[in-house]
Each structure stands twice: as C-alpha cells, then as structure tokens.
Amino acid sequence: MAKFTPAPGLEEALARIVAPSVHRIAQQVEIEARRLAPPVKRWVTVADDKVRPTHVAAQGQEVPGNLRFAINSMDWDRRHRGVGAKTYMREPRDQSSRAVANIKNCRCTTHSDPDGIAKNINTGQPVVAGKKVTVTVTARGHLVVEAEVGTVYPGNLVADGAHFMSRGTAIVAARR
Ligand SMILES: [Zn+2]
C-alpha cells in the first residue's frame, strides 16, 4: 500500500488556495442569516403628558422582534397580578404579560426596523493557520444571542429563538 506524503508546505499552500472558496461559502451564510433575522422593534409613546411613567421610561426601548420589552411594573399589577419589578410585553397592551393596570388605556405603538439585526451580520476575512482555514460570520447587537436561541422570562413566558444563524448555516450546508 502506497502512502502519500505531501511535499513540505503543500497542505499549507492548499489551505491558502481554498481560502477564497471558504470565504464565499461564509458569505452565503451571511446572506441567508440576514434574510432570516427578525426585525428590531421599538416602543413608541404618544409623548404627551398623559403617558404613564412606566411607559415614558420605555420610550425608545429596542428589542429583537421575537423577544419581549421589559417594562417597569405598576404597583397594582405587582400586588394583584404577581408580576415582578418588570412586566414583559411583546407589544403595548399585551395581555400575555399578565398586566392589567400597565396595559389599560395604553396608546403606545411599536416601530419595526426589518434590518435592525440583519445590518449587523458580517463575514470576516479568511484566516489561514497552517492547514486550517477559518472564516467567521458574526451577528452583533443588543440581545442578539437571545434572539437566536430564545429566552424564558419570569413567570415562565417563553420566547422562541429565531435561529437565523443556525438555519442560515443549515441552508448553505444543504447546497453542498
Ligand atoms: Zn402606553
């Protein structure tokens, strides 16, 4: 049986040759992850003097679309509805948050930015170390890990993960 022994430096040279291909595959992962990333939603009040203080404090709060806003609780809800210091709402007037006082007569809305997460997903340059080529696709941003894998809020309120990075990777892998 013949044994192939690569010439000195051949594997390292091959790693440099395939590096651009690995980079292109990673860029495809970036494209799919951007497509699958949830939007970022922002809490918006009507900004008049009747907005309750807990929603004044929430003005401008941004969270990934599959997660919940963390709103300061109102005393009535803490005493009667068993919420803690924060009330977790998917959107204004969200009854699943268990709040009553903190959603009554609320006029707040949300603004959604579809590129809020996608714009911060990027592909790095290939790094060749010996025989190994590494390209990293990175998602940066507030609560981006929770957006990917999901989270559980107090009161057992479950937010499912969007899995945009892992699904993007799986889609590209299935093409190979
Ligand atoms: Zn409100």
Side-chain angles (χ1 to χ4, degrees), residues 43 52 55 106-108:
W43 189 283
R52 76 202 75 195
H55 295 191
C106 171
R107 299 162 296 156
C108 297

Side-chain angles (χ1 to χ4, degrees), residues 10-70:
L10 179 59
E11 288 173 309
E12 289 77 6
L14 278 171
R16 288 193 294 276
I17 289 165
V18 301
S21 300
V22 177
H23 192 220
R24 279 193 292 278
I25 293 164
Q27 285 171 323
Q28 291 172 26
V29 171
E30 177 192 314
I31 289 166
E32 295 302 325
R34 282 177 182 249
R35 189 175 61 76
L36 296 165
V40 168
K41 59 190 176 188
R42 185 172 75 235
W43 189 283
V44 181
T45 73
V46 296
D48 63 16
D49 59 6
K50 294 193 187 73
V51 177
R52 76 202 75 195
T54 57
H55 295 191
V56 171
Q59 164 65 34
Q61 186 180 139
E62 292 186 334
V63 295
N66 59 318
L67 302 183
R68 288 173 178 257
F69 294 102

Side-chain angles (χ1 to χ4, degrees), residues 2-142:
K3 184 169 183 297
F4 172 70
T5 306
L10 179 59
E11 288 173 309
E12 289 77 6
L14 278 171
R16 288 193 294 276
I17 289 165
V18 301
S21 300
V22 177
H23 192 220
R24 279 193 292 278
I25 293 164
Q27 285 171 323
Q28 291 172 26
V29 171
E30 177 192 314
I31 289 166
E32 295 302 325
R34 282 177 182 249
R35 189 175 61 76
L36 296 165
V40 168
K41 59 190 176 188
R42 185 172 75 235
W43 189 283
V44 181
T45 73
V46 296
D48 63 16
D49 59 6
K50 294 193 187 73
V51 177
R52 76 202 75 195
T54 57
H55 295 191
V56 171
Q59 164 65 34
Q61 186 180 139
E62 292 186 334
V63 295
N66 59 318
L67 302 183
R68 288 173 178 257
F69 294 102
I71 308 298
N72 294 337
S73 294
M74 290 177 70
D75 288 341
W76 194 93
D77 290 332
R78 297 191 69 167
R79 277 186 270 115
H80 297 96
R81 301 293 295 168
V83 299
K86 297 283 185 183
T87 298
Y88 297 93
M89 300 192 197
R90 288 180 298 213
E91 66 275 320
R93 299 173 298 284
D94 178 8
Q95 294 185 2
S96 79
S97 72
R98 303 197 180 104
V100 173
N102 217 351
I103 63 177
K104 191 182 179 195
N105 297 328
C106 171
R107 299 162 296 156
C108 297
T109 55
T110 57
H111 175 271
S112 181
D113 176 3
D115 293 326
I117 289 176
K119 69 186 177 194
N120 292 316
I121 300 175
N122 293 292
T123 305
Q125 290 301 312
V127 176
V128 181
K131 310 174 198 174
K132 192 170 157 189
V133 182
T134 304
V135 183
T136 305
V137 181
T138 310
R140 290 187 175 80
H142 181 53

